[in-house]
Amino acid sequence: MSKTSSEYGKVYLVGAGPGDPGLITLRGVECLSRAELLLYDYLVNPAILQHVAAGAEVICLGRHGRDRIWPQIEINATIVEAACAGRTVVRLKGGDPAVFARGAEEIEALASAGIQWEVVPGVTAGLAAGSYAGISVTHRDLASAVAFVTGQETPDKSEDVLDYGALAEFPGTLVIYMGVTTARRWTSALIAAGKSPQTPAAIVRNCSLPNQRSIRCSLSEVPDRLEEKDRLRPPVIVIVGAVAALDESLNWFEQLPLFGKTVLVTRPIHQVEAVARPLRALGANVVVQSAIQISDPADWQPVDAALDNLGRYDWLVFSSSNGARRLLNRLCQRGGDMRNLAGVKLAAIGPGTAAELARFHLSADLQPEDFRAESLASALESEAADRRFLLARASRGREVLADSLNACGADVDQIVVYDSQDVATADPDVQTLMDDRQVDWITVTSSAIARSLDHMFGGQLGECSLASISPVTTATLRELGLEPTVEAKTYTMDGVVEAILSVTQ
């Protein structure tokens, strides 16, 4: 018996946008989270894949010069086969699925097989290129229409399928997709059809990405700029029309303070976004290489014993956001809740740790103005004598806090709530960037990270600008023979970003 359409899986054709991972739609993210099979184009930013659920099968359809490029017929067959097997399939495309993305061919294959589908639009590169280069493709005074034009026709079409006469007389802006290798042909055709060779043009490569490049020129100069002088390779959009002559000062994206700078973020993977997000917003190319990895402690028994006896402590002290999250998650996993903390005061070393407590609807009773273990110990000294303290900590770290409280007459218990280990080897792509000296900045946000980076990269660290989060981290770097370029004035992730900005503006 043949299946009905309701027994098949569903296919989502999702537009990933032009490059910046933040430009995918909320609906697109929702579809990614449902995917059991994801097929994506090589132009899709890999950062978008973070939205895919664990366990989903993820396949890249080939990178030019690196992998086998899947032919369209094979893509169609794979999508249909997976959906017929009842799987939820997401076909993730750069830009918009309906704009020069061969989405129509995939839809036809799905329709023929009786499979349900949904198209989720994305920001198409032709619009994004203008917006990110400071060019409004429509303009009240200059362009009342815009036309999307392919620079690459399929081989089985006649060469004159495009009406260059009509395009030459088009009363607005022409946006050319996929026109790098054919630039001399289509520019010559436009000029031969009557378009002025002096018509303003703008070439935009890798729009919305930190390595975006935009070039203003005339229509007749486009081939030379692409093929000879600048050697720009795809993906490229060319904008032709009066709007391309708009003041280059309107190019807001390439004027961002960290545009063109590559920043290596080294925090544990689950904490990356706290510093990566503001750096990206400032135009930086953020590369992630965690220097340490966080995991469960080798033995939960001491933690569980402490949780069973929370009422005997006067203070519960957190010296990191990781410690707060791990201990409180463990409390909840064992059937407890925040009522178990009744009567226990909470101390947090800084705003990041306090924010983690707030996620559990808890407020810190004490937080020092200076976010260091020494400052936290000093702030607790008046509370120390004859009081019982529980310190939630990592598997390694300084003993400053415990030693200081013990010296003041406190009764201190310490429990390891997470294990911290160095990452031994850098990702090959990151190592290549370091080898090629393409990393401008490295964030160093703890002494443990500093030491791990020294083991990972050695002398290469001295070839980069280092941003230290605190005097303690700076002291560790100096012990390793490294001098940070900047040190945060406030010992937070925002402070690190502000420190980098202070010497780049």
PDB file of all heavy atoms in Angstrom, residues 267-272 294-296 300 318 320-333 338 352-353 355-357 359-360 362 392 417-418:
ATOM      1  N   ARG A 267      36.915  31.565  25.655  1.00  0.00           N
ATOM      2  CA  ARG A 267      36.161  31.064  26.788  1.00  0.00           C
ATOM      3  C   ARG A 267      35.608  29.666  26.503  1.00  0.00           C
ATOM      4  O   ARG A 267      35.549  29.231  25.346  1.00  0.00           O
ATOM      5  CB  ARG A 267      34.990  32.003  27.118  1.00  0.00           C
ATOM      6  CG  ARG A 267      35.385  33.424  27.449  1.00  0.00           C
ATOM      7  CD  ARG A 267      34.206  34.199  27.974  1.00  0.00           C
ATOM      8  NE  ARG A 267      33.984  33.945  29.384  1.00  0.00           N
ATOM      9  CZ  ARG A 267      32.849  34.210  30.039  1.00  0.00           C
ATOM     10  NH1 ARG A 267      31.813  34.699  29.383  1.00  0.00           N
ATOM     11  NH2 ARG A 267      32.729  33.975  31.326  1.00  0.00           N
ATOM     12  N   PRO A 268      35.150  28.942  27.549  1.00  0.00           N
ATOM     13  CA  PRO A 268      34.463  27.667  27.311  1.00  0.00           C
ATOM     14  C   PRO A 268      33.291  27.874  26.365  1.00  0.00           C
ATOM     15  O   PRO A 268      32.656  28.931  26.362  1.00  0.00           O
ATOM     16  CB  PRO A 268      34.004  27.253  28.717  1.00  0.00           C
ATOM     17  CG  PRO A 268      34.972  27.908  29.635  1.00  0.00           C
ATOM     18  CD  PRO A 268      35.312  29.229  28.990  1.00  0.00           C
ATOM     19  N   ILE A 269      32.982  26.863  25.579  1.00  0.00           N
ATOM     20  CA  ILE A 269      32.063  27.019  24.460  1.00  0.00           C
ATOM     21  C   ILE A 269      30.707  27.564  24.879  1.00  0.00           C
ATOM     22  O   ILE A 269      30.110  28.376  24.166  1.00  0.00           O
ATOM     23  CB  ILE A 269      31.920  25.674  23.693  1.00  0.00           C
ATOM     24  CG1 ILE A 269      31.217  25.896  22.363  1.00  0.00           C
ATOM     25  CG2 ILE A 269      31.229  24.631  24.549  1.00  0.00           C
ATOM     26  CD1 ILE A 269      32.020  26.725  21.370  1.00  0.00           C
ATOM     27  N   HIS A 270      30.196  27.175  26.050  1.00  0.00           N
ATOM     28  CA  HIS A 270      28.868  27.641  26.460  1.00  0.00           C
ATOM     29  C   HIS A 270      28.873  29.085  26.928  1.00  0.00           C
ATOM     30  O   HIS A 270      27.817  29.673  27.169  1.00  0.00           O
ATOM     31  CB  HIS A 270      28.306  26.739  27.568  1.00  0.00           C
ATOM     32  CG  HIS A 270      29.044  26.820  28.857  1.00  0.00           C
ATOM     33  ND1 HIS A 270      30.237  26.157  29.073  1.00  0.00           N
ATOM     34  CD2 HIS A 270      28.778  27.495  30.010  1.00  0.00           C
ATOM     35  CE1 HIS A 270      30.676  26.414  30.290  1.00  0.00           C
ATOM     36  NE2 HIS A 270      29.814  27.218  30.872  1.00  0.00           N
ATOM     37  N   GLN A 271      30.057  29.690  27.070  1.00  0.00           N
ATOM     38  CA  GLN A 271      30.155  31.072  27.527  1.00  0.00           C
ATOM     39  C   GLN A 271      30.644  32.019  26.432  1.00  0.00           C
ATOM     40  O   GLN A 271      30.850  33.199  26.681  1.00  0.00           O
ATOM     41  CB  GLN A 271      31.110  31.151  28.716  1.00  0.00           C
ATOM     42  CG  GLN A 271      30.614  30.426  29.958  1.00  0.00           C
ATOM     43  CD  GLN A 271      31.608  30.526  31.097  1.00  0.00           C
ATOM     44  OE1 GLN A 271      32.780  30.187  30.957  1.00  0.00           O
ATOM     45  NE2 GLN A 271      31.145  31.010  32.241  1.00  0.00           N
ATOM     46  N   VAL A 272      30.804  31.516  25.237  1.00  0.00           N
ATOM     47  CA  VAL A 272      31.392  32.305  24.156  1.00  0.00           C
ATOM     48  C   VAL A 272      30.558  33.531  23.812  1.00  0.00           C
ATOM     49  O   VAL A 272      31.080  34.638  23.622  1.00  0.00           O
ATOM     50  CB  VAL A 272      31.592  31.409  22.916  1.00  0.00           C
ATOM     51  CG1 VAL A 272      31.765  32.252  21.665  1.00  0.00           C
ATOM     52  CG2 VAL A 272      32.793  30.504  23.112  1.00  0.00           C
ATOM     53  N   ILE A 294      34.715  22.731  30.346  1.00  0.00           N
ATOM     54  CA  ILE A 294      34.054  22.558  31.634  1.00  0.00           C
ATOM     55  C   ILE A 294      33.221  21.288  31.599  1.00  0.00           C
ATOM     56  O   ILE A 294      32.483  21.045  30.645  1.00  0.00           O
ATOM     57  CB  ILE A 294      33.157  23.772  31.944  1.00  0.00           C
ATOM     58  CG1 ILE A 294      33.976  25.067  31.936  1.00  0.00           C
ATOM     59  CG2 ILE A 294      32.451  23.600  33.270  1.00  0.00           C
ATOM     60  CD1 ILE A 294      35.079  25.115  32.934  1.00  0.00           C
ATOM     61  N   SER A 295      33.319  20.489  32.654  1.00  0.00           N
ATOM     62  CA  SER A 295      32.533  19.258  32.731  1.00  0.00           C
ATOM     63  C   SER A 295      32.154  18.986  34.185  1.00  0.00           C
ATOM     64  O   SER A 295      32.577  19.703  35.102  1.00  0.00           O
ATOM     65  CB  SER A 295      33.320  18.080  32.152  1.00  0.00           C
ATOM     66  OG  SER A 295      34.525  17.889  32.869  1.00  0.00           O
ATOM     67  N   ASP A 296      31.359  17.941  34.383  1.00  0.00           N
ATOM     68  CA  ASP A 296      30.949  17.567  35.740  1.00  0.00           C
ATOM     69  C   ASP A 296      32.161  17.156  36.572  1.00  0.00           C
ATOM     70  O   ASP A 296      33.160  16.658  36.032  1.00  0.00           O
ATOM     71  CB  ASP A 296      29.960  16.404  35.685  1.00  0.00           C
ATOM     72  CG  ASP A 296      28.604  16.807  35.141  1.00  0.00           C
ATOM     73  OD1 ASP A 296      28.317  18.017  35.094  1.00  0.00           O
ATOM     74  OD2 ASP A 296      27.838  15.904  34.754  1.00  0.00           O
ATOM     75  N   TRP A 300      30.329  13.492  42.477  1.00  0.00           N
ATOM     76  CA  TRP A 300      29.282  14.388  42.973  1.00  0.00           C
ATOM     77  C   TRP A 300      29.016  14.188  44.468  1.00  0.00           C
ATOM     78  O   TRP A 300      28.303  14.990  45.069  1.00  0.00           O
ATOM     79  CB  TRP A 300      27.977  14.154  42.206  1.00  0.00           C
ATOM     80  CG  TRP A 300      27.869  14.834  40.879  1.00  0.00           C
ATOM     81  CD1 TRP A 300      27.812  14.246  39.661  1.00  0.00           C
ATOM     82  CD2 TRP A 300      27.781  16.242  40.635  1.00  0.00           C
ATOM     83  NE1 TRP A 300      27.699  15.184  38.666  1.00  0.00           N
ATOM     84  CE2 TRP A 300      27.660  16.428  39.236  1.00  0.00           C
ATOM     85  CE3 TRP A 300      27.780  17.367  41.473  1.00  0.00           C
ATOM     86  CZ2 TRP A 300      27.555  17.681  38.647  1.00  0.00           C
ATOM     87  CZ3 TRP A 300      27.674  18.636  40.878  1.00  0.00           C
ATOM     88  CH2 TRP A 300      27.569  18.784  39.494  1.00  0.00           C
ATOM     89  N   PHE A 318      30.013  31.995  45.763  1.00  0.00           N
ATOM     90  CA  PHE A 318      30.275  31.610  44.371  1.00  0.00           C
ATOM     91  C   PHE A 318      31.361  32.510  43.796  1.00  0.00           C
ATOM     92  O   PHE A 318      31.207  33.728  43.764  1.00  0.00           O
ATOM     93  CB  PHE A 318      29.009  31.741  43.522  1.00  0.00           C
ATOM     94  CG  PHE A 318      27.880  30.844  43.962  1.00  0.00           C
ATOM     95  CD1 PHE A 318      26.802  31.354  44.675  1.00  0.00           C
ATOM     96  CD2 PHE A 318      27.895  29.498  43.658  1.00  0.00           C
ATOM     97  CE1 PHE A 318      25.762  30.536  45.075  1.00  0.00           C
ATOM     98  CE2 PHE A 318      26.864  28.664  44.052  1.00  0.00           C
ATOM     99  CZ  PHE A 318      25.793  29.188  44.773  1.00  0.00           C
ATOM    100  N   SER A 320      32.447  32.074  40.611  1.00  0.00           N
ATOM    101  CA  SER A 320      32.320  32.068  39.152  1.00  0.00           C
ATOM    102  C   SER A 320      30.877  31.772  38.776  1.00  0.00           C
ATOM    103  O   SER A 320      30.125  31.163  39.548  1.00  0.00           O
ATOM    104  CB  SER A 320      33.232  31.008  38.515  1.00  0.00           C
ATOM    105  OG  SER A 320      32.742  29.704  38.788  1.00  0.00           O
ATOM    106  N   SER A 321      30.507  32.191  37.575  1.00  0.00           N
ATOM    107  CA  SER A 321      29.161  31.878  37.082  1.00  0.00           C
ATOM    108  C   SER A 321      29.020  30.384  36.828  1.00  0.00           C
ATOM    109  O   SER A 321      27.933  29.812  37.008  1.00  0.00           O
ATOM    110  CB  SER A 321      28.869  32.671  35.803  1.00  0.00           C
ATOM    111  OG  SER A 321      29.816  32.376  34.796  1.00  0.00           O
ATOM    112  N   ASN A 322      30.113  29.731  36.409  1.00  0.00           N
ATOM    113  CA  ASN A 322      30.067  28.283  36.210  1.00  0.00           C
ATOM    114  C   ASN A 322      29.723  27.564  37.505  1.00  0.00           C
ATOM    115  O   ASN A 322      28.924  26.620  37.527  1.00  0.00           O
ATOM    116  CB  ASN A 322      31.421  27.774  35.689  1.00  0.00           C
ATOM    117  CG  ASN A 322      31.626  28.044  34.213  1.00  0.00           C
ATOM    118  OD1 ASN A 322      30.707  27.879  33.419  1.00  0.00           O
ATOM    119  ND2 ASN A 322      32.813  28.482  33.845  1.00  0.00           N
ATOM    120  N   GLY A 323      30.327  28.007  38.602  1.00  0.00           N
ATOM    121  CA  GLY A 323      30.052  27.391  39.900  1.00  0.00           C
ATOM    122  C   GLY A 323      28.605  27.566  40.312  1.00  0.00           C
ATOM    123  O   GLY A 323      27.977  26.625  40.814  1.00  0.00           O
ATOM    124  N   ALA A 324      28.059  28.764  40.094  1.00  0.00           N
ATOM    125  CA  ALA A 324      26.659  29.016  40.455  1.00  0.00           C
ATOM    126  C   ALA A 324      25.723  28.128  39.644  1.00  0.00           C
ATOM    127  O   ALA A 324      24.814  27.487  40.184  1.00  0.00           O
ATOM    128  CB  ALA A 324      26.330  30.492  40.235  1.00  0.00           C
ATOM    129  N   ARG A 325      25.952  28.089  38.336  1.00  0.00           N
ATOM    130  CA  ARG A 325      25.072  27.298  37.469  1.00  0.00           C
ATOM    131  C   ARG A 325      25.144  25.819  37.797  1.00  0.00           C
ATOM    132  O   ARG A 325      24.114  25.136  37.901  1.00  0.00           O
ATOM    133  CB  ARG A 325      25.430  27.545  36.003  1.00  0.00           C
ATOM    134  CG  ARG A 325      24.566  26.764  35.028  1.00  0.00           C
ATOM    135  CD  ARG A 325      24.832  27.162  33.585  1.00  0.00           C
ATOM    136  NE  ARG A 325      26.218  26.979  33.219  1.00  0.00           N
ATOM    137  CZ  ARG A 325      27.112  27.944  33.124  1.00  0.00           C
ATOM    138  NH1 ARG A 325      26.760  29.194  33.405  1.00  0.00           N
ATOM    139  NH2 ARG A 325      28.365  27.693  32.781  1.00  0.00           N
ATOM    140  N   ARG A 326      26.352  25.301  37.986  1.00  0.00           N
ATOM    141  CA  ARG A 326      26.520  23.870  38.226  1.00  0.00           C
ATOM    142  C   ARG A 326      25.909  23.445  39.558  1.00  0.00           C
ATOM    143  O   ARG A 326      25.238  22.405  39.654  1.00  0.00           O
ATOM    144  CB  ARG A 326      28.009  23.522  38.201  1.00  0.00           C
ATOM    145  CG  ARG A 326      28.646  23.660  36.826  1.00  0.00           C
ATOM    146  CD  ARG A 326      28.421  22.422  36.000  1.00  0.00           C
ATOM    147  NE  ARG A 326      28.905  22.594  34.632  1.00  0.00           N
ATOM    148  CZ  ARG A 326      29.101  21.603  33.794  1.00  0.00           C
ATOM    149  NH1 ARG A 326      28.866  20.363  34.178  1.00  0.00           N
ATOM    150  NH2 ARG A 326      29.514  21.827  32.564  1.00  0.00           N
ATOM    151  N   LEU A 327      26.142  24.220  40.610  1.00  0.00           N
ATOM    152  CA  LEU A 327      25.616  23.834  41.919  1.00  0.00           C
ATOM    153  C   LEU A 327      24.096  23.904  41.950  1.00  0.00           C
ATOM    154  O   LEU A 327      23.427  22.986  42.440  1.00  0.00           O
ATOM    155  CB  LEU A 327      26.200  24.732  43.006  1.00  0.00           C
ATOM    156  CG  LEU A 327      25.739  24.386  44.428  1.00  0.00           C
ATOM    157  CD1 LEU A 327      26.275  23.021  44.855  1.00  0.00           C
ATOM    158  CD2 LEU A 327      26.151  25.454  45.426  1.00  0.00           C
ATOM    159  N   LEU A 328      23.542  24.968  41.412  1.00  0.00           N
ATOM    160  CA  LEU A 328      22.092  25.134  41.469  1.00  0.00           C
ATOM    161  C   LEU A 328      21.378  24.145  40.542  1.00  0.00           C
ATOM    162  O   LEU A 328      20.288  23.668  40.861  1.00  0.00           O
ATOM    163  CB  LEU A 328      21.725  26.578  41.131  1.00  0.00           C
ATOM    164  CG  LEU A 328      22.247  27.598  42.159  1.00  0.00           C
ATOM    165  CD1 LEU A 328      22.012  29.024  41.681  1.00  0.00           C
ATOM    166  CD2 LEU A 328      21.605  27.379  43.531  1.00  0.00           C
ATOM    167  N   ASN A 329      21.990  23.844  39.412  1.00  0.00           N
ATOM    168  CA  ASN A 329      21.412  22.797  38.554  1.00  0.00           C
ATOM    169  C   ASN A 329      21.415  21.450  39.276  1.00  0.00           C
ATOM    170  O   ASN A 329      20.437  20.689  39.195  1.00  0.00           O
ATOM    171  CB  ASN A 329      22.204  22.678  37.256  1.00  0.00           C
ATOM    172  CG  ASN A 329      21.788  23.695  36.220  1.00  0.00           C
ATOM    173  OD1 ASN A 329      20.672  24.225  36.257  1.00  0.00           O
ATOM    174  ND2 ASN A 329      22.671  23.994  35.279  1.00  0.00           N
ATOM    175  N   ARG A 330      22.484  21.168  39.989  1.00  0.00           N
ATOM    176  CA  ARG A 330      22.557  19.908  40.730  1.00  0.00           C
ATOM    177  C   ARG A 330      21.489  19.855  41.820  1.00  0.00           C
ATOM    178  O   ARG A 330      20.857  18.809  42.033  1.00  0.00           O
ATOM    179  CB  ARG A 330      23.954  19.743  41.351  1.00  0.00           C
ATOM    180  CG  ARG A 330      24.165  18.422  42.074  1.00  0.00           C
ATOM    181  CD  ARG A 330      24.115  17.239  41.117  1.00  0.00           C
ATOM    182  NE  ARG A 330      24.389  15.974  41.784  1.00  0.00           N
ATOM    183  CZ  ARG A 330      24.375  14.797  41.187  1.00  0.00           C
ATOM    184  NH1 ARG A 330      24.092  14.703  39.889  1.00  0.00           N
ATOM    185  NH2 ARG A 330      24.637  13.686  41.867  1.00  0.00           N
ATOM    186  N   LEU A 331      21.291  20.971  42.484  1.00  0.00           N
ATOM    187  CA  LEU A 331      20.247  21.044  43.507  1.00  0.00           C
ATOM    188  C   LEU A 331      18.881  20.692  42.913  1.00  0.00           C
ATOM    189  O   LEU A 331      18.116  19.893  43.494  1.00  0.00           O
ATOM    190  CB  LEU A 331      20.217  22.451  44.113  1.00  0.00           C
ATOM    191  CG  LEU A 331      19.085  22.769  45.094  1.00  0.00           C
ATOM    192  CD1 LEU A 331      19.184  21.885  46.341  1.00  0.00           C
ATOM    193  CD2 LEU A 331      19.116  24.246  45.488  1.00  0.00           C
ATOM    194  N   CYS A 332      18.594  21.261  41.762  1.00  0.00           N
ATOM    195  CA  CYS A 332      17.299  21.004  41.121  1.00  0.00           C
ATOM    196  C   CYS A 332      17.197  19.566  40.609  1.00  0.00           C
ATOM    197  O   CYS A 332      16.141  18.932  40.696  1.00  0.00           O
ATOM    198  CB  CYS A 332      17.073  21.989  39.974  1.00  0.00           C
ATOM    199  SG  CYS A 332      16.944  23.710  40.493  1.00  0.00           S
ATOM    200  N   GLN A 333      18.293  19.046  40.055  1.00  0.00           N
ATOM    201  CA  GLN A 333      18.296  17.676  39.542  1.00  0.00           C
ATOM    202  C   GLN A 333      17.995  16.656  40.639  1.00  0.00           C
ATOM    203  O   GLN A 333      17.410  15.599  40.385  1.00  0.00           O
ATOM    204  CB  GLN A 333      19.644  17.364  38.902  1.00  0.00           C
ATOM    205  CG  GLN A 333      19.889  18.073  37.582  1.00  0.00           C
ATOM    206  CD  GLN A 333      21.341  17.992  37.141  1.00  0.00           C
ATOM    207  OE1 GLN A 333      22.171  17.355  37.791  1.00  0.00           O
ATOM    208  NE2 GLN A 333      21.664  18.657  36.031  1.00  0.00           N
ATOM    209  N   MET A 338      14.870  26.324  45.262  1.00  0.00           N
ATOM    210  CA  MET A 338      15.499  27.460  45.920  1.00  0.00           C
ATOM    211  C   MET A 338      15.097  27.598  47.385  1.00  0.00           C
ATOM    212  O   MET A 338      15.766  28.278  48.163  1.00  0.00           O
ATOM    213  CB  MET A 338      15.189  28.756  45.159  1.00  0.00           C
ATOM    214  CG  MET A 338      15.672  28.744  43.709  1.00  0.00           C
ATOM    215  SD  MET A 338      17.402  28.242  43.491  1.00  0.00           S
ATOM    216  CE  MET A 338      17.215  26.625  42.732  1.00  0.00           C
ATOM    217  N   GLY A 352      28.718  38.942  36.526  1.00  0.00           N
ATOM    218  CA  GLY A 352      28.399  37.750  35.742  1.00  0.00           C
ATOM    219  C   GLY A 352      27.858  36.635  36.614  1.00  0.00           C
ATOM    220  O   GLY A 352      26.893  35.952  36.259  1.00  0.00           O
ATOM    221  N   THR A 353      28.478  36.455  37.769  1.00  0.00           N
ATOM    222  CA  THR A 353      28.011  35.426  38.703  1.00  0.00           C
ATOM    223  C   THR A 353      26.658  35.812  39.292  1.00  0.00           C
ATOM    224  O   THR A 353      25.768  34.963  39.454  1.00  0.00           O
ATOM    225  CB  THR A 353      29.047  35.237  39.824  1.00  0.00           C
ATOM    226  OG1 THR A 353      30.316  34.933  39.218  1.00  0.00           O
ATOM    227  CG2 THR A 353      28.653  34.108  40.749  1.00  0.00           C
ATOM    228  N   ALA A 355      24.433  37.598  37.810  1.00  0.00           N
ATOM    229  CA  ALA A 355      23.439  37.401  36.754  1.00  0.00           C
ATOM    230  C   ALA A 355      23.040  35.930  36.656  1.00  0.00           C
ATOM    231  O   ALA A 355      21.872  35.609  36.385  1.00  0.00           O
ATOM    232  CB  ALA A 355      24.001  37.888  35.419  1.00  0.00           C
ATOM    233  N   GLU A 356      23.991  35.029  36.870  1.00  0.00           N
ATOM    234  CA  GLU A 356      23.670  33.601  36.853  1.00  0.00           C
ATOM    235  C   GLU A 356      22.729  33.251  37.990  1.00  0.00           C
ATOM    236  O   GLU A 356      21.783  32.476  37.821  1.00  0.00           O
ATOM    237  CB  GLU A 356      24.957  32.779  36.950  1.00  0.00           C
ATOM    238  CG  GLU A 356      24.770  31.307  36.646  1.00  0.00           C
ATOM    239  CD  GLU A 356      24.318  31.055  35.214  1.00  0.00           C
ATOM    240  OE1 GLU A 356      24.884  31.661  34.290  1.00  0.00           O
ATOM    241  OE2 GLU A 356      23.381  30.248  35.040  1.00  0.00           O
ATOM    242  N   LEU A 357      22.956  33.825  39.170  1.00  0.00           N
ATOM    243  CA  LEU A 357      22.036  33.616  40.285  1.00  0.00           C
ATOM    244  C   LEU A 357      20.641  34.123  39.941  1.00  0.00           C
ATOM    245  O   LEU A 357      19.635  33.488  40.285  1.00  0.00           O
ATOM    246  CB  LEU A 357      22.556  34.324  41.537  1.00  0.00           C
ATOM    247  CG  LEU A 357      23.842  33.786  42.162  1.00  0.00           C
ATOM    248  CD1 LEU A 357      24.254  34.654  43.354  1.00  0.00           C
ATOM    249  CD2 LEU A 357      23.661  32.343  42.622  1.00  0.00           C
ATOM    250  N   ARG A 359      19.175  34.106  37.191  1.00  0.00           N
ATOM    251  CA  ARG A 359      18.463  33.156  36.322  1.00  0.00           C
ATOM    252  C   ARG A 359      17.725  32.098  37.149  1.00  0.00           C
ATOM    253  O   ARG A 359      16.798  31.460  36.657  1.00  0.00           O
ATOM    254  CB  ARG A 359      19.446  32.494  35.349  1.00  0.00           C
ATOM    255  CG  ARG A 359      20.039  33.455  34.332  1.00  0.00           C
ATOM    256  CD  ARG A 359      20.836  32.721  33.265  1.00  0.00           C
ATOM    257  NE  ARG A 359      21.446  33.668  32.330  1.00  0.00           N
ATOM    258  CZ  ARG A 359      22.687  34.117  32.412  1.00  0.00           C
ATOM    259  NH1 ARG A 359      23.477  33.663  33.379  1.00  0.00           N
ATOM    260  NH2 ARG A 359      23.163  34.976  31.543  1.00  0.00           N
ATOM    261  N   PHE A 360      18.171  31.914  38.367  1.00  0.00           N
ATOM    262  CA  PHE A 360      17.482  31.008  39.288  1.00  0.00           C
ATOM    263  C   PHE A 360      16.607  31.785  40.279  1.00  0.00           C
ATOM    264  O   PHE A 360      16.203  31.253  41.302  1.00  0.00           O
ATOM    265  CB  PHE A 360      18.519  30.170  40.062  1.00  0.00           C
ATOM    266  CG  PHE A 360      19.255  29.175  39.213  1.00  0.00           C
ATOM    267  CD1 PHE A 360      20.407  29.539  38.516  1.00  0.00           C
ATOM    268  CD2 PHE A 360      18.791  27.870  39.088  1.00  0.00           C
ATOM    269  CE1 PHE A 360      21.092  28.621  37.735  1.00  0.00           C
ATOM    270  CE2 PHE A 360      19.465  26.953  38.304  1.00  0.00           C
ATOM    271  CZ  PHE A 360      20.620  27.330  37.624  1.00  0.00           C
ATOM    272  N   LEU A 362      17.421  34.289  42.190  1.00  0.00           N
ATOM    273  CA  LEU A 362      18.140  34.548  43.431  1.00  0.00           C
ATOM    274  C   LEU A 362      18.892  35.862  43.312  1.00  0.00           C
ATOM    275  O   LEU A 362      19.359  36.232  42.232  1.00  0.00           O
ATOM    276  CB  LEU A 362      19.141  33.420  43.725  1.00  0.00           C
ATOM    277  CG  LEU A 362      18.559  32.022  43.960  1.00  0.00           C
ATOM    278  CD1 LEU A 362      19.684  30.986  43.997  1.00  0.00           C
ATOM    279  CD2 LEU A 362      17.750  31.987  45.268  1.00  0.00           C
ATOM    280  N   ALA A 392      31.655  27.105  46.560  1.00  0.00           N
ATOM    281  CA  ALA A 392      31.470  26.295  45.349  1.00  0.00           C
ATOM    282  C   ALA A 392      32.542  26.692  44.351  1.00  0.00           C
ATOM    283  O   ALA A 392      32.617  27.851  43.940  1.00  0.00           O
ATOM    284  CB  ALA A 392      30.077  26.522  44.764  1.00  0.00           C
ATOM    285  N   VAL A 417      32.438  21.791  42.147  1.00  0.00           N
ATOM    286  CA  VAL A 417      31.166  21.624  41.437  1.00  0.00           C
ATOM    287  C   VAL A 417      31.356  21.515  39.925  1.00  0.00           C
ATOM    288  O   VAL A 417      30.396  21.250  39.209  1.00  0.00           O
ATOM    289  CB  VAL A 417      30.188  22.768  41.771  1.00  0.00           C
ATOM    290  CG1 VAL A 417      29.802  22.720  43.232  1.00  0.00           C
ATOM    291  CG2 VAL A 417      30.769  24.125  41.403  1.00  0.00           C
ATOM    292  N   TYR A 418      32.570  21.743  39.450  1.00  0.00           N
ATOM    293  CA  TYR A 418      32.848  21.479  38.030  1.00  0.00           C
ATOM    294  C   TYR A 418      34.333  21.252  37.832  1.00  0.00           C
ATOM    295  O   TYR A 418      35.173  21.732  38.591  1.00  0.00           O
ATOM    296  CB  TYR A 418      32.349  22.601  37.123  1.00  0.00           C
ATOM    297  CG  TYR A 418      33.033  23.941  37.277  1.00  0.00           C
ATOM    298  CD1 TYR A 418      34.080  24.318  36.444  1.00  0.00           C
ATOM    299  CD2 TYR A 418      32.605  24.851  38.243  1.00  0.00           C
ATOM    300  CE1 TYR A 418      34.697  25.543  36.557  1.00  0.00           C
ATOM    301  CE2 TYR A 418      33.210  26.087  38.368  1.00  0.00           C
ATOM    302  CZ  TYR A 418      34.253  26.437  37.521  1.00  0.00           C
ATOM    303  OH  TYR A 418      34.845  27.673  37.645  1.00  0.00           O
TER     304      TYR A 418
END
